[in-house]
Amino acid sequence: MQIEVLKSKLHRVRVTEANLDYIGSITIDEDLLEAANLIPGEKVQIVNNNNGERFETYIIKGERGSGCICLNGAAARKVQVGDVVIIISYALMDFEEAKIFKPSVVFPDETNHIVK
C-alpha cells in the first residue's frame, strides 16, 4: 500500500512579489529549494496564513540568496506582498517506508533566508 506523506515544508516564508502577468507558478530562492529538498517543476501546496487561502502550483527556481517568494499568474490574486505562507510538498511511498521517513522542514528567518 502507498500513502501520501509530507516530504518538504518551508514554514512561514514571506511573499516578496506577486506577478499577475505570468503563466503561473511560484518562484522560490534556490537556497530555500535546496534546504527543503524541493526541485523546479515540483507540485506544491501553498497555505496563506493571512487569509486562509490554500492552492496548488509548481516551482520555478529563483535567484540564489534573494529570499524570493513570488506567486505568479492566477496565484498572485491569492496573496499580498508581505503575507506569510507555508509551502508544502508531499510524496507517495510505501506504508512501511513512510513510518521511518523524515521530511525536510525549514524555518527561514523573517527575510526568507536560512538560519544557520
Side-chain angles (χ1 to χ4, degrees):
M1 170 177 47
Q2 296 232 307
I3 62 171
E4 192 170 18
V5 298
L6 174 67
K7 179 185 103 24
S8 303
K9 178 166 79 164
L10 287 169
H11 190 73
R12 298 184 55 83
V13 291
R14 291 201 181 272
V15 174
T16 60
E17 299 174 59
N19 182 359
L20 186 58
D21 296 321
Y22 195 85
I23 296 169
S25 67
I26 182 169
T27 304
I28 302 174
D29 176 324
E30 189 173 7
D31 286 339
L32 294 172
L33 292 179
E34 287 178 2
N37 194 29
L38 295 164
I39 61 170
E42 185 170 354
K43 178 180 171 181
V44 289
Q45 179 182 44
I46 312 297
V47 179
N48 188 328
N49 285 0
N50 291 79
N51 63 19
E53 288 281 357
R54 289 177 165 264
F55 54 95
E56 295 176 339
T57 190
Y58 63 92
I59 296 170
I60 291 177
K61 179 173 60 176
E63 181 182 345
R64 184 180 294 280
S66 66
C68 178
I69 301 292
C70 178
L71 278 301
N72 301 299
R77 294 205 183 272
K78 300 198 174 275
V79 299
Q80 298 290 319
V81 171
D83 281 359
V84 173
V85 298
I86 300 169
I87 302 169
I88 306 164
S89 77
Y90 302 93
L92 283 173
M93 61 184 68
D94 178 76
F95 185 76
E96 292 304 316
E97 179 186 7
K99 288 180 180 179
I100 59 172
F101 178 76
K102 301 289 186 234
S104 298
V105 179
V106 177
F107 300 89
D109 68 14
E110 61 279 348
T111 63
N112 296 341
H113 291 91
I114 306 300
V115 180
K116 295 186 181 187

